[in-house]
């Protein structure tokens, strides 16, 4: 009930964490991450409320709101910087795909906010694809036909069925934080990261390393020719205003 109120009373907000092109150090996009400012408990982490929002179906409305908000922010950032290649990534839950109006809603919001579908990355998890649902597949194919990007979040942590990678129109793999964290100390994990990178290369998929926290991580990813990274080493999730400021700084002093 409280979450229902949260959606209606605008207690939700988004933070934005940049994606960095490793070679140039440039910000090329942002992931939108949901937060709840609870009137009593204060700021709540998504791990605490997203599962509950999923179980109650309230996630559908929250995701709609987040998608619209993320598009509006992207529009602002593009207008501010003139960087028309910037993109934004939004997290989706399996339940979002149960909404028969899913695609129409997305397209309507894109049209309304003036964002081209190619500037949108839908982040979904492996678990969602393992549902083997024709409905999900159909929607994802349609999203791809409209030129949206489809990223697999936490790649490698779900069930290791790789066949879905060619059954679904996936464009991007996000290497899970746990792999990035452990690749510098564990040869087995490093082997996994290398395999994911060559898998992505062979399949023509883009790759993003998540949870990059140290210079050592960056150096290793560079040597492995991984091109895009995200993590506390570069920036923590931040407000829309801070994201705008960071981009303006970058425009003045390109890295
Ligand atoms: P995720 O999509 O894998 O997002 C990455 C999480 O890792 C974020 O936590 C981010 O703050 C954190 N992170 C980023 N870089 C680093 C790093 O270098 N080190 C460490 N230790 N952590 C890092 P956050 O924002 O608490 O989100 C947690 C999860 O909640 C997300 O994981 C995602 O599964 C879910 N979530 C967040 N926003 C949404 C949303 O709008 N919709 C849905 N369905 N799920 C969301
Ligand atoms: Ca994500
Ligand atoms: Ca992730």
């Amino acid at each position: 009930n409280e979450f229902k109120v949260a959606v209606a009373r605008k207690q939700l907000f988004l933070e934005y964490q940049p994606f960095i092109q490793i070679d140039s150090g440039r910000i090329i996009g942002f992931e939108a991450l949901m937060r709840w400012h609870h009137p009593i408990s204060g700021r709540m982490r998504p791990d605490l409320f997203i599962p509950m929002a999923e179980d109650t179906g309230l996630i559908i409305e929250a995701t709609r709101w987040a998608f619209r908000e993320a598009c509006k922010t992207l529009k602002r950032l593009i207008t501010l910087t003139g960087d028309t290649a910037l993109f934004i990534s939004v997290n989706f839950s399996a339940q979002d795909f149960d909404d028969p109006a899913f695609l129409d809603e997305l397209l309507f919001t894109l049209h309304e906010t003036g964002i081209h579908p190619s500037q949108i990355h839908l982040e979904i998890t492996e678990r969602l694809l393992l549902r083997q649902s024709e409905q999900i597949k159909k929607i994802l194919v349609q999203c791809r036909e409209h030129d949206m990007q489809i990223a697999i979040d936490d790649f490698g942590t779900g069930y290791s069925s790789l066949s879905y990678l060619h059954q679904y129109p996936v464009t991007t793999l996000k290497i899970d934080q746990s792999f990035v964290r452990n690749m510098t100390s564990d040869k087995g994990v490093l082997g996994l990261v290398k395999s994911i990178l060559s898998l992505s290369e062979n399949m023509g998929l883009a790759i993003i390393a998540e949870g990059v926290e140290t210079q050592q991580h960056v150096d290793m990813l560079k040597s492995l020719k991984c091109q895009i990274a995200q993590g506390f080493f570069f920036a923590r999730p931040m407000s829309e205003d801070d994201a705008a400021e960071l981009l303006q700084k970058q425009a003045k002093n390109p890295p």
Side-chain angles (χ1 to χ4, degrees), residues 31 91 123 152-155 174-177 210 230:
E31 176 175 1
N91 292 283
E123 291 199 11
I152 307 295
D153 209 348
D154 311 335
F155 181 75
K174 291 188 79 179
I175 305 181
D176 187 60
Q177 310 195 358
E210 288 193 271
Q230 190 186 29

Side-chain angles (χ1 to χ4, degrees), residues 9-28:
R9 297 227 181 117
K10 307 196 181 357
Q11 292 169 3
L12 298 180
F13 62 101
L14 296 179
E15 285 193 322
Y16 299 91
Q17 188 180 28
F19 293 108
I20 310 288
Q21 182 120 55
I22 296 182
D23 278 343
S24 64
R26 266 180 65 82
I27 297 171
I28 53 170

